[in-house]
Amino acid sequence: MREGSAPRWWQWLWLSAAVVALDLASKAWLAHILVPGEPHDLTPFLRIVLVYNTGAAFSFLAGAGGWQRWFFAAIAVLISIVLVIVLRRHRGPAIVAAALALVLGGALGNLWDRLTLGRVTDFVLLHAGDHSWPAFNVADSAITVGVAILIWESLWPKRRPAPGALPGEDA
């Protein structure tokens, strides 16, 4: 890549691959050392606990009988295809390309779990007193950060000068 030039679309796939690698490595390591359901408090609000989710976010459809595994896998495949297409066509800010790559990596990390295990491995649990957020993992975190960036950029885009405009001129 030339100095000062923006990465090509496929170079963002390294970020997706890093998310997948970190997600799968953390899940494998924690599944090896933890007993499912046994909580380990790290701070007054952060707990590590190995849980398995056969549903989607917030255990949506977790008890649906098994068909949801393939339904959510198909959705993840479709979303991944759309993300690659959007990433290929993207010509805007690098932060948006990074956000797309984060979401793609997260989708692929959880897809791997669904295809190989039939469930998604979660292990991070945030809580305050008797209230807790559903457990999540590295893939979920990447998806959340990526979507938050995409929402931020769509609601408050930076003003960019029109092509050929002089510095200081409004678009």
Side-chain angles (χ1 to χ4, degrees):
M1 184 170 70
R2 295 181 311 254
E3 187 176 333
S5 66
R8 290 180 170 70
W9 75 270
W10 50 266
Q11 290 172 308
W12 289 107
L13 297 181
W14 284 107
L15 178 56
S16 298
V19 168
V20 172
L22 184 59
D23 179 60
L24 297 181
S26 63
K27 290 172 181 175
W29 178 62
L30 290 167
H32 180 72
I33 65 169
L34 296 177
V35 174
E38 186 177 293
H40 299 274
D41 289 336
L42 299 180
T43 70
F45 60 87
L46 176 63
R47 176 177 294 153
I48 300 297
V49 60
L50 183 63
V51 295
Y52 298 104
N53 183 1
T54 57
F58 307 105
S59 295
F60 177 65
L61 293 178
W67 63 267
Q68 73 276 21
R69 171 187 187 183
W70 304 111
F71 175 71
F72 292 131
I75 289 173
V77 169
L78 289 173
I79 288 171
S80 297
I81 291 168
V82 169
L83 286 168
V84 169
I85 291 168
V86 171
L87 190 58
R88 284 185 65 152
R89 294 179 179 174
H90 178 69
R91 299 290 179 259
I95 190 74
V96 172
L100 294 167
L102 287 171
V103 175
L104 177 61
L108 293 174
N110 283 338
L111 174 62
W112 178 263
D113 272 13
R114 273 190 212 293
L115 294 177
T116 61
L117 303 174
R119 60 194 183 192
V120 174
T121 304
D122 292 322
F123 55 86
V124 179
L125 186 72
L126 299 175
H127 63 92
D130 292 338
H131 306 286
S132 66
W133 189 256
F136 59 96
N137 57 42
V138 172
D140 298 333
S141 299
I143 291 168
T144 301
V145 169
V147 168
I149 292 169
L150 292 171
I151 290 170
W152 180 270
E153 283 292 312
S154 69
L155 294 176
W156 296 284
K158 291 185 176 140
R159 291 185 60 152
R160 291 171 182 82
L166 297 174
E169 282 186 43
D170 286 335

